[in-house]
Amino acid sequence: VRGHGQIRPEGRPFKVRDSTFQLKDEGNKHFQAGDIDKAIECYTNAIKVCKDKKVLAVIHRNRSACYLKKENYTNAASDASKAIDVDASDIKALYRRCQALEKLGKLDMAFKDVQRCATLEPKNKTFLETLRRLGAEIQAKLKTTFSTDSRVQNMFEILLDEEMEKDKREKAANNLIVLSREDAGAERIFQNNGVPLLLNMIETGKPEMILAAIRTLSGMCTGHKARVSQDTGKENEIALATCNLFQCINDSLTGGDTREYGKEASLVLDASKDLKTILLSLLEMVSSSKVSGHGRDQALNLLNKNVPRKDKKEKNNSRTLFTIDHGLKKILKVCGQVPELPDQLPLTENTQLIASVLLNKLYDDLTCDPERNNFRDICDEYIKSKIDPNNMDKTIHAINTISGLLQGPFDVGNALVGRQGIMEMMVALCGSEREVDQMVAVEALIHASSKMSRASFIITNGVSLLKDIYKKTKNEKIKIRSLVGLCKLGSAGGDDYSLRQFAEGSTEKLAKQCRKWLCNPQIDTKTRKWAIEGLAYLTNDADVKDDFVEDELAMKAMFELAKSKDKTILYAVACILINCTNCYDKKEIIPELVQLAKFSKQHVPEQHPKDKKDFIEKRVKRLLKGGVTSALAVMVKADSSILTDQTKEMLARVFLALSEDPKDRGTIVAQGGGKALIPLALEGTDVGKVKASHALAKIAAISNPEIAFPGERVYEVVRPLVNLLHTDREGMQNFEALRGLTNLAGYSEKLRVKIVKEKALPEIENYMFEEHDQIRQAATECMCNLVTCKEVQDRYLEDGNDKLKLLVLLCGEDDESLQIAAAGALAMITASQKKLSKNLFKELTGLSQQTTQWLEILQRLCLHVNPRIQHRGLVIVYNMLNSDDSELAKKLIESEMLEILTVIGKAEDNPKRQDPIDTARTCLVKAMDLGLIKPFSNA
């Protein structure tokens, strides 16, 4: 049986199926004779009767060779795989499957099989040659498949074929977007006459095609002057995509995109002409009736972002002056639109506020009185041209424009209101029979009464009129605006309890009505927004604050509106939250000055009894319970044109007030507050960034960084915390920042490296010398967590510094927490760097009297009653014994340290002090290993 028989225990062989081997042998003969079909037939019959797995694998392998000859590569690969399943190192089966897979075009799988063959027989030239050839073919295929040029060409062929299916053409258009974001792809699109084709796609009028074309143009224009100069339901997305295109063009022409593009940049000699063309186009969009509301918003956003100087130190404000000369009246036109009148421009709920913000930024960007006078003159001329006693529509357009200015550059609007007849006209319009006149006039009065003097005038002349409108009108929109006017006038004294404008209880009644409207879902969002405006004024009164936070439905209704698309509400919501949490700046009241003011009969502000600390804390708890954090997280994501730096500062103040109690910080993290604080800490006013950073520090100090700041966001937290370490910050801010960095440093090596890269080490080291105990402790704890970082260890290894001495001296302080941190840092750093152990001992055993004190400090650590401190001291001793310096170890054992180690090591096991006991015993064992001591045995 040719060696394939099996032996019974008795020594007699099993009977082997002779037919299997007979058929197999016949198949082999037919194969050698070239009769492949007969060979396959024999092998197939043998497979049917064979029961031995190993023999079956051989037959499958042989039939695989036959199928290769017949060019039936699928069956060849299948049979080879069956053989490999039995024996994974069957080199013949592996190579045959490789040949079959190569023919089937599965080069990567074939490469793996021949790679396995070459591993089994590394000197086989056939395998090596096939491996090299397949590798080259795979590279060539990848180059062809992913060649940017061929991909671009393929996309254009699909787009140019009008008979191609709609979904394929749209898919091709979207693929172009991806290609346009690669420099090679963008260039091929450009060179293949892609710009005209993309313009044709826009002209189709199909939203999907327009969107893809605009996004492709954005990709092509990003950071590339030459290409920019060559080409000049979905509605909101299209507007956003177009906005992005304009932004890319602007950045490329102004140098906002700093990437290098070689010689191509020199093809454009002068970009100023193109920039002026863009500005004129955007200004034309602002006042065009053909532009959608979303498109107008994006045009205003682009002007907001790119016209005013980002840094006031720049002297050139020519873009602002150009915009004022060519477009100020167009922006004023947007502010004056009254949607209730016919033939008005298409607007969104945010458009007019964005226009007011733009006006404010333009005015702030002016550098001298002549420029400001020109701005005022243009506004004055525009208002005068619109006031027409015979055309009420034009007149209320003028009044609405003044409202827009009062919400933007207030000084300009205020000056216009002060012109003879304007205020009287507002009051008179309140008595008009047309509801739209009343609504516009009441809004203007609300915005005009921001100054105490103006409020006093209206209190004298307009309160009775507003009350009359409120009582008589049936139009909810006018009624709520009248109420807000009364609310604002009632709060003209701010939080000064002694300057209440209305009788006791009046403001509470007004607030109750505002809350009622706010909670009514039947009223449209814009009208309910005015209820929030009213509460923003009334919450200066502490009674109103308390009533509001007690009304859970009103709170939640406000938070839901804050999350809605209408972002004009953000400032009012922020005002309410600021008032409820009392986190605005308050001047410190000096008792002596109060007495002096009373003596001289000057007004002295009075604090409301409900504005004391315990009432504020209760309100904060109520707000957190109502879901304020999730609302704030959504508000932070609003567009920068509406979420101004001042609003960001207000939100940062609210976050800081909410995070005051450590028990509440978990709730803030759970509702997304940690993530929301990061952008507030990086952008905005200086005060706002500091407040947000302080809130971040409070959260980072006690939260798991992985949960509070998931993903890569945790690395963005480091810089704001390091900024709080500056010496001009308050002590509490320094302390909280150090605690936050301590927690982050204990989390991962990457975070420790990030802290070092942000140049925090010098600041942390400075605070280790701080006289304030808590700050010094926090700095030492932070350093303790940082010493495992190699960059920190390198600083300690530098010659001529006293950093190691400082740690030793801190170990000698009376504060146990400080000792734990300092000793821990010493223990870890001497464990990581043996050289530092030697340096440490040199200093401990120096000749001066002071170094004797340092040796005593180490001994005191080892004898400390606190097992945590004792354990750290003993680890330092072990590190010194383990420093590969026999002289150092010898000197240490010759000191009193041996007696200390012996006493601790001989102590009975004690669960409370087991770590020090075990470490002392380890030190003694190490000393014995070094031959410095011998074990003592008693006969």
Side-chain angles (χ1 to χ4, degrees):
V1 295
R2 303 183 184 177
H4 288 283
Q6 291 180 313
I7 306 299
R8 288 178 180 271
E10 295 87 348
R12 290 176 294 171
F14 282 111
K15 184 179 179 182
V16 181
R17 293 180 182 271
D18 292 333
S19 58
T20 300
F21 292 99
Q22 186 179 345
L23 288 168
K24 173 177 166 289
D25 290 341
E26 286 178 12
N28 291 346
K29 289 175 184 177
H30 288 306
F31 182 81
Q32 290 166 4
D35 192 349
I36 306 302
D37 289 334
K38 284 282 187 183
I40 291 174
E41 185 180 345
C42 291
Y43 290 140
T44 303
N45 291 331
I47 287 168
K48 290 177 181 177
V49 298
C50 183
K51 301 296 183 184
D52 190 310
K53 283 186 178 181
K54 291 184 179 179
V55 177
L56 194 61
V58 173
I59 299 170
H60 275 300
R61 184 180 69 197
N62 291 352
R63 192 171 69 169
S64 174
C66 295
Y67 283 134
L68 280 173
K69 291 284 187 182
K70 296 290 289 182
E71 298 184 2
N72 187 342
Y73 301 118
T74 303
N75 285 347
S78 176
D79 272 354
S81 295
K82 289 173 183 175
I84 294 165
D85 288 343
V86 176
D87 182 5
S89 59
D90 187 335
I91 202 162
K92 288 184 180 179
L94 282 165
Y95 189 68
R96 283 170 191 168
R97 188 170 70 175
C98 163
Q99 291 173 301
L101 290 171
E102 181 185 0
K103 295 296 183 181
L104 290 169
K106 299 177 180 180
L107 297 182
D108 52 339
M109 295 172 70
F111 184 84
K112 288 179 182 178
D113 280 347
V114 75
Q115 196 174 38
R116 174 71 176 149
C117 293
T119 303
L120 293 169
E121 288 187 19
K123 294 182 180 180
N124 189 310
K125 291 182 180 180
T126 303
F127 295 160
L128 295 174
E129 176 58 25
T130 305
L131 189 67
R132 184 198 61 74
R133 179 173 51 78
L134 283 177
E137 286 178 15
I138 288 169
Q139 291 300 318
K141 185 179 178 182
L142 286 171
K143 192 173 181 180
T144 304
T145 304
F146 295 103
S147 165
T148 306
D149 194 62
S150 65
R151 288 159 73 195
V152 172
Q153 196 63 42
N154 188 32
M155 294 305 106
F156 278 133
E157 286 173 5
I158 294 171
L159 288 167
L160 289 168
D161 186 356
E162 294 184 0
E163 296 181 0
M164 186 64 69
E165 295 173 14
K166 178 186 173 184
D167 59 337
K168 288 187 178 179
R169 291 184 70 189
E170 289 176 359
K171 186 177 180 181
N174 287 324
N175 286 340
L176 275 178
I177 298 169
V178 179
L179 289 173
S180 70
R181 290 170 184 166
E182 305 168 6
D183 192 51
E187 188 60 29
R188 293 314 306 158
I189 295 171
F190 188 74
Q191 295 296 339
N192 281 313
N193 205 30
V195 175
L197 177 61
L198 292 168
L199 294 175
N200 289 338
M201 289 166 59
I202 292 172
E203 289 171 6
T204 61
K206 297 175 182 176
E208 294 81 4
M209 300 293 274
I210 295 172
L211 190 57
I214 292 172
R215 285 176 174 166
T216 303
L217 285 168
S218 296
M220 290 170 63
C221 293
T222 300
H224 208 290
K225 279 189 180 181
R227 287 201 290 267
V228 165
S229 301
Q230 188 72 22
D231 63 70
T232 53
K234 291 281 182 181
E235 186 185 76
N236 190 24
E237 289 185 50
I238 292 171
L240 285 168
T242 311
C243 175
N244 185 49
L245 168 60
F246 271 113
Q247 188 62 55
C248 292
I249 292 172
N250 180 79
D251 288 348
S252 297
L253 293 176
T254 59
D257 188 302
T258 56
R259 287 176 286 181
E260 293 292 334
Y261 285 89
K263 296 178 181 178
E264 290 173 337
S266 64
L267 296 175
V268 183
L269 300 177
D270 182 15
S272 60
K273 184 179 177 182
D274 295 320
L275 287 169
K276 286 180 180 178
T277 304
I278 292 171
L279 276 178
L280 289 171
S281 299
L282 290 172
L283 291 169
E284 190 62 36
M285 286 176 67
V286 165
S287 61
S288 172
S289 58
K290 295 179 181 178
V291 175
S292 69
H294 290 293
R296 202 176 320 281
D297 284 1
Q298 296 308 328
L300 289 165
N301 282 336
L302 281 164
L303 292 168
N304 258 315
K305 187 173 182 181
N306 297 295
V307 173
R309 293 168 297 167
K310 291 180 175 64
D311 186 354
K312 292 294 188 286
K313 292 178 182 177
E314 288 181 36
K315 293 182 179 179
N316 184 9
N317 67 338
S318 58
R319 275 185 289 184
T320 296
L321 298 176
F322 181 86
T323 303
I324 289 170
D325 290 340
H326 294 84
L328 180 54
K329 290 184 179 179
K330 293 175 180 178
I331 302 167
L332 291 172
K333 180 181 177 180
V334 174
C335 289
Q337 296 299 294
V338 182
E340 289 76 11
L341 294 178
D343 302 324
Q344 300 295 293
L345 298 176
L347 306 174
T348 69
E349 59 270 16
N350 299 322
T351 307
Q352 289 175 302
L353 181 59
I354 298 172
S356 293
V357 171
L358 174 58
L359 288 172
N360 192 49
K361 286 189 175 181
L362 292 173
Y363 188 72
D364 282 349
D365 200 44
L366 300 177
T367 57
C368 59
D369 288 341
E371 290 177 0
R372 295 186 189 95
N373 289 336
N374 178 54
F375 188 99
R376 293 190 194 101
D377 291 343
I378 294 173
C379 293
D380 192 30
E381 181 187 335
Y382 183 82
I383 297 298
K384 285 179 180 176
S385 70
K386 295 299 177 183
I387 293 177
D388 184 353
N390 300 319
N391 187 334
M392 197 54 71
D393 287 359
K394 287 182 70 177
T395 301
I396 63 170
H397 176 92
I399 299 299
N400 214 32
T401 304
I402 293 174
S403 287
L405 285 165
L406 287 165
Q407 293 176 80
F410 183 82
D411 290 342
V412 178
N414 195 46
L416 289 169
V417 171
R419 294 289 170 87
Q420 187 175 2
I422 296 291
M423 184 62 78
E424 289 78 6
M425 188 186 300
M426 291 181 186
V427 174
L429 281 171
C430 289
S432 171
E433 293 180 0
R434 286 204 314 176
E435 290 183 342
V436 67
D437 297 345
Q438 294 179 19
M439 189 162 63
V440 170
V442 171
E443 283 188 28
L445 284 173
I446 292 168
H447 298 307
S449 58
S450 293
K451 283 205 171 181
M452 188 68 182
S453 58
R454 200 72 62 198
S456 301
F457 171 85
I458 300 171
I459 288 169
T460 306
N461 298 279
V463 169
S464 58
L465 184 59
L466 287 172
K467 286 182 179 178
D468 197 45
I469 293 172
Y470 176 72
K471 289 175 182 177
K472 291 181 179 179
T473 185
K474 294 181 179 179
N475 187 319
E476 290 288 332
K477 294 180 180 179
I478 298 173
K479 187 183 280 286
I480 198 167
R481 284 165 174 77
S482 303
L483 179 69
V484 172
L486 292 169
C487 292
K488 190 166 186 180
L489 297 173
S491 64
D495 65 345
D496 188 344
Y497 187 50
S498 63
L499 284 181
R500 286 189 165 198
Q501 300 294 329
F502 295 156
E504 185 79 30
S506 296
T507 50
E508 288 92 320
K509 289 178 182 177
L510 291 172
K512 186 176 181 181
Q513 185 59 47
C514 284
R515 296 202 308 273
K516 183 179 176 182
W517 267 319
L518 178 58
C519 296
N520 187 350
Q522 305 299 322
I523 301 175
D524 64 278
T525 303
K526 193 171 182 180
T527 305
R528 292 169 71 201
K529 178 188 78 174
W530 280 99
I532 294 178
E533 288 278 351
L535 288 169
Y537 300 125
L538 293 176
T539 46
N540 279 311
D541 187 306
D543 288 318
V544 176
K545 299 177 195 180
D546 264 25
D547 291 344
F548 178 71
V549 296
E550 291 291 333
D551 190 339
E552 193 172 336
L553 289 176
M555 261 201 307
K556 289 188 175 179
M558 184 182 78
F559 295 152
E560 287 304 313
L561 282 175
K563 297 175 186 178
S564 68
K565 291 181 180 179
D566 185 354
K567 299 303 179 185
T568 58
I569 202 173
L570 295 185
Y571 186 79
V573 174
C575 285
I576 292 172
L577 296 175
I578 283 278
N579 290 336
C580 288
T581 55
N582 283 50
C583 54
Y584 41 77
D585 284 331
K586 295 275 293 183
K587 289 184 180 179
E588 185 182 354
I589 298 175
I590 302 171
E592 292 81 3
L593 290 179
V594 172
Q595 293 300 321
L596 186 62
K598 287 180 178 178
F599 180 76
S600 59
K601 297 184 179 179
Q602 297 293 320
H603 173 70
V604 179
E606 293 181 23
Q607 185 185 38
H608 195 290
K610 289 187 178 179
D611 272 333
K612 292 181 180 176
K613 188 176 179 181
D614 53 340
F615 283 94
I616 296 170
E617 289 174 354
K618 288 178 183 176
R619 290 201 290 268
V620 166
K621 301 287 184 187
R622 284 277 184 179
L623 287 168
L624 284 166
K625 187 180 178 182
V628 64
T629 309
S630 58
L632 288 169
V634 174
M635 291 165 71
V636 168
K637 296 175 184 176
D639 192 276
S640 59
S641 58
I642 292 178
L643 189 67
T644 61
D645 287 349
Q646 289 74 23
T647 310
K648 288 178 184 176
E649 181 184 322
M650 293 168 75
L651 298 181
R653 287 176 180 275
V654 174
F655 266 120
L656 182 57
L658 296 176
S659 58
E660 196 63 40
D661 187 346
K663 295 176 184 176
D664 296 329
R665 294 172 197 170
T667 304
I668 295 171
V669 168
Q671 295 180 4
K675 294 178 286 185
L677 272 167
I678 295 172
L680 295 177
L682 298 173
E683 298 174 358
T685 65
D686 289 339
V687 173
K689 288 190 285 188
V690 169
K691 298 287 184 186
S693 299
H694 193 183
L696 266 179
K698 286 177 178 290
I699 290 170
I702 64 170
S703 304
N704 181 342
E706 194 172 20
I707 297 172
F709 317 106
E712 296 298 309
R713 288 189 183 92
V714 69
Y715 301 104
E716 297 177 51
V717 178
V718 174
R719 182 171 296 172
L721 299 194
V722 173
N723 289 338
L724 284 184
L725 297 180
H726 294 167
T727 51
D728 57 346
R729 302 283 181 252
E730 296 174 8
M732 182 56 73
Q733 293 170 349
N734 300 150
F735 174 69
E736 301 274 17
L738 287 166
R739 290 187 65 213
L741 289 170
T742 301
N743 195 20
L744 294 178
Y747 179 62
S748 73
E749 180 64 19
K750 283 181 73 176
L751 271 171
R752 288 190 283 274
V753 171
K754 176 69 175 172
I755 292 169
V756 172
K757 284 184 177 178
E758 290 294 339
K759 300 179 181 177
L761 281 180
E763 301 284 359
I764 296 168
E765 288 167 351
N766 285 340
Y767 286 119
M768 290 171 72
F769 289 97
E770 176 67 42
E771 290 182 5
H772 194 286
D773 292 341
Q774 287 179 300
I775 294 178
R776 184 173 50 176
Q777 178 192 325
T780 309
E781 287 173 350
C782 189
M783 186 59 72
C784 179
N785 281 358
L786 285 170
V787 291
T788 56
C789 182
K790 189 177 184 302
E791 287 84 348
V792 179
Q793 293 170 10
D794 290 342
R795 285 175 69 90
Y796 277 84
L797 284 168
E798 291 172 1
D799 293 331
N801 70 67
D802 291 331
K803 293 180 175 62
L804 212 57
K805 293 179 183 177
L806 173 62
L807 282 178
V808 177
L809 289 172
L810 291 175
C811 289
E813 294 289 331
D814 294 332
D815 187 332
E816 289 194 3
S817 298
L818 182 60
Q819 283 183 298
I820 289 171
L826 265 180
M828 284 192 285
I829 203 167
T830 51
S832 302
Q833 295 287 346
K834 291 184 178 181
K835 185 179 177 182
L836 284 172
S837 297
K838 300 173 187 178
N839 294 350
L840 177 63
F841 193 79
K842 286 176 185 176
E843 293 178 1
L844 292 176
T845 56
L847 299 175
S848 68
Q849 293 180 351
Q850 196 175 14
T851 50
T852 307
Q853 178 190 352
W854 296 340
L855 183 56
E856 290 173 2
I857 289 171
L858 183 60
Q859 292 170 350
R860 285 210 324 256
L861 288 178
C862 296
L863 291 169
H864 207 284
V865 293
N866 187 326
R868 295 177 66 193
I869 297 173
Q870 186 182 35
H871 180 220
R872 284 159 173 76
L874 291 167
V875 169
I876 296 168
V877 173
Y878 175 79
N879 293 337
M880 295 169 76
L881 290 171
N882 195 40
S883 63
D884 299 335
D885 188 328
S886 56
E887 185 180 350
L888 186 157
K890 183 180 178 183
K891 287 182 178 179
L892 189 62
I893 292 299
E894 286 174 353
S895 71
E896 294 176 6
M897 190 59 69
L898 176 60
E899 185 179 348
I900 294 170
L901 293 174
T902 305
V903 170
I904 299 170
K906 284 184 175 181
E908 293 182 5
D909 288 352
N910 181 348
K912 293 182 179 179
R913 308 189 70 87
Q914 198 59 45
D915 286 339
I917 294 169
D918 289 344
T919 307
R921 292 170 181 172
T922 307
C923 289
L924 291 169
V925 171
K926 184 67 180 177
M928 283 191 282
D929 292 342
L930 293 171
L932 300 174
I933 59 174
K934 292 181 180 179
F936 176 77
S937 57
N938 192 333

